[in-house]
Amino acid sequence: MAAYLDHAATTPMHEAAIEAMTATMRTVGNASSLHTAGRRARALVEESRERIGVALDARPSEVIFTSGGTESDNLAIKGTYAARRATDPSKRTIVASAIEHHAVLDPIEFLVNTQGARVRWLGVDRGGRLLVDSLDELLAERADSVALISVMWANNEVGTVQPVREVVTRAQAYGIPVHTDAVQAVGHLPVSFADSGVDLMTITGHKVGGPLGIGLLLARRSAGLVPLVHGGGQERQVRSGTLDVPGIVGLAAALDVTVAQREAQTRRLTALRDRLIEGALGLGLGAQVTGTWRAGDAQERLAGHAHLIIEGCEGDSLLYLLDAAGIECSTGSACQAGVPQPSHVVLALGHTEAQARGALRLTLGHSSTDADIEAFLGALPAVVERARRAAGVA
Ligand SMILES: Cc1ncc(COP(=O)(O)O)c(C=O)c1O
């Protein structure tokens, strides 16, 4: 079997989630129907909402089910922007970190291109941590015009954890709503919606051992959100559409397992991640680790995230050669029209384009083992040699 080192892309479902979901798929019921089958489906949804509230320390009424992280990010950004502009048209500035996922970057660009928004991207230091001072400067200059601030909880490429609490403290002083994309954080860090102080938080099922195509936005009751999808008025009139009852049940079951196993998994994965990074750096290939990394630490960098730059190689060549050797991983960045683009995250950390092209992301999760790490380290020297030859370097 291949060594799967791409848990940040999607992680295998937990058995309990598969069982809960398949049992629900065998029953009929639209949660909006009034007959017995409908009420049974509704009961499953509301029970799941409560369990999710417990897992994430949120009120059940703060849970809005969506189709996943991308939709939740879009709803948070576009829905808040529209609501804030409706009450005060001068609130046109959106503030976000430069290392957000495209599910945050692109809705912001859309609002800039079509809805008169202005954006201020906040930089990060070499370790990948938000420069909070730049937020202070910006707020001192133009807090009145800020519609919202969006800063992810943990980065999906390098795994650095962001100072969300510090952002919230500053935003609250000016009454500015804060959204955080916590897609990569849940399961690796303690995530409490109540304690975080944020107004909106994005979560997706398939990164926590739940099904694909289901996620949620946690939204405080006070958060004004203009809906993006209109129809049957489900989910507080904010997100219409027939609820995916099996998906919701599967997500609740997965979150239960993920949160219950978090501490033990974090310890285990930190040791595996450190072995991977130390092993890769020690092979004499000129590899460097990207972002903050201290052996044993899982507060500043996610326990499951390793991210390397191997200069003189194209990340895509590394990926395909590793795949051929039975190792599945990622470059972390997207292709546009089939052309690999250097990652905006790696560039934001201050690396050159040449370095960014040699980026490789290796992410671990609940099914990762020592054997996966050893398989990767065993395959890497020959793969790097071939990738450098292909690039004309070696
Ligand atoms: C940080 C982050 N936000 C959002 C998403 C998108 O989530 P989904 O795949 O559920 O749409 C991802 C997925 O890679 C992610 O890593």
Side-chain angles (χ1 to χ4, degrees), residues 8-9 67-71 73 101 103 152 154 156 181 183-184 204 206-207:
S67 62
T70 303
E71 187 188 336
D73 283 342
H101 189 273
M152 65 201 325
N156 50 294
D181 178 332
V183 159
Q184 297 288 343
T204 193
H206 70 108
K207 317 275 187 186

Side-chain angles (χ1 to χ4, degrees), residues 344-364:
H344 66 283
V345 175
V346 179
L347 295 178
L349 263 61
H351 293 283
T352 63
E353 283 208 15
Q355 290 172 329
R357 275 201 296 275
L360 201 60
R361 180 183 76 172
L362 306 132
T363 50
L364 315 173

Side-chain angles (χ1 to χ4, degrees), residues 28-351:
V28 68
N30 181 325
S32 298
S33 298
L34 299 178
H35 46 59
T36 304
R39 291 200 308 275
R40 194 167 49 225
R42 169 59 61 185
L44 286 172
V45 168
E46 297 315 322
E47 193 187 293
S48 302
R49 203 189 294 279
E50 295 208 358
R51 285 168 69 185
I52 290 168
V54 172
L56 300 171
D57 194 15
R59 297 203 182 115
S61 61
E62 293 170 329
V63 177
I64 299 170
F65 290 113
T66 67
S67 62
T70 303
E71 187 188 336
S72 296
D73 283 342
N74 271 263
L75 176 57
I77 305 285
K78 295 179 188 160
T80 306
Y81 180 73
R84 296 271 285 164
R85 291 275 329 254
T87 52
D88 179 353
S90 72
K91 306 236 180 275
R92 287 170 51 196
T93 307
I94 303 176
V95 180
S97 87
I99 58 166
E100 295 297 310
H101 189 273
H102 275 283
V104 167
L105 298 181
D106 291 18
I108 295 176
E109 297 285 4
F110 170 81
L111 294 175
V112 170
N113 293 333
T114 65
Q115 313 290 317
R118 288 183 302 229
V119 60
R120 289 289 292 266
W121 301 114
L122 300 177
V124 294
D125 63 19
R126 186 78 178 184
R129 187 178 196 269
L130 185 81
L131 296 166
V132 181
D133 288 355
S134 62
L135 177 60
D136 287 331
E137 281 161 29
L138 187 140
L139 292 175
E141 188 192 306
R142 60 164 65 176
D144 283 354
S145 75
V146 177
L148 83 143
I149 302 175
S150 187
V151 172
M152 65 201 325
W153 196 297
N155 180 261
N156 50 294
E157 287 183 38
V158 290
T160 43
V161 179
Q162 299 305 317
V164 173
R165 191 71 239 180
E166 291 175 46
V167 171
V168 168
T169 310
R170 284 157 174 80
Q172 278 176 347
Y174 298 96
I176 300 168
V178 176
H179 164 247
T180 189
D181 178 332
V183 159
Q184 297 288 343
V186 174
H188 292 290
L189 295 167
V191 173
S192 157
F193 182 59
D195 291 350
S196 71
V198 301
D199 300 275
L200 300 146
M201 184 185 285
T202 292
I203 313 277
T204 193
H206 70 108
K207 317 275 187 186
V208 296
L212 292 142
I214 185 81
L216 53 97
L217 182 66
L218 295 177
R220 289 200 197 286
R221 298 293 297 192
S222 56
L225 274 177
V226 171
L228 309 184
V229 180
H230 300 89
Q234 289 89 344
E235 299 300 274
R236 292 159 47 181
Q237 308 272 347
V238 173
R239 201 277 191 172
S240 287
T242 300
L243 289 172
D244 172 3
V245 184
I248 289 169
V249 168
L251 170 56
L255 272 172
D256 277 351
V257 178
T258 296
V259 170
Q261 292 182 349
R262 184 185 59 77
E263 285 185 54
Q265 283 294 354
T266 297
R267 269 195 303 278
R268 196 179 76 80
L269 295 183
T270 306
L272 286 182
R273 177 204 65 188
D274 292 346
R275 163 80 190 117
L276 188 157
I277 295 175
E278 276 157 7
L281 299 185
L283 285 170
L285 301 168
Q288 52 174 303
V289 60
T290 324
T292 301
W293 168 64
R294 281 186 296 114
D297 163 74
Q299 302 296 315
E300 294 176 16
R301 180 187 198 112
L302 295 175
H305 262 69
H307 190 272
L308 304 172
I309 288 179
I310 306 179
E311 272 194 80
C313 299
E314 289 293 332
D316 276 18
S317 310
L318 292 170
L319 188 151
Y320 289 123
L321 289 163
L322 282 166
D323 190 36
I327 321 287
E328 290 166 336
C329 62
S330 159
T331 60
S333 65
C335 273
Q336 265 163 28
V339 182
Q341 300 292 321
S343 150
H344 66 283
V345 175
V346 179
L347 295 178
L349 263 61
H351 293 283

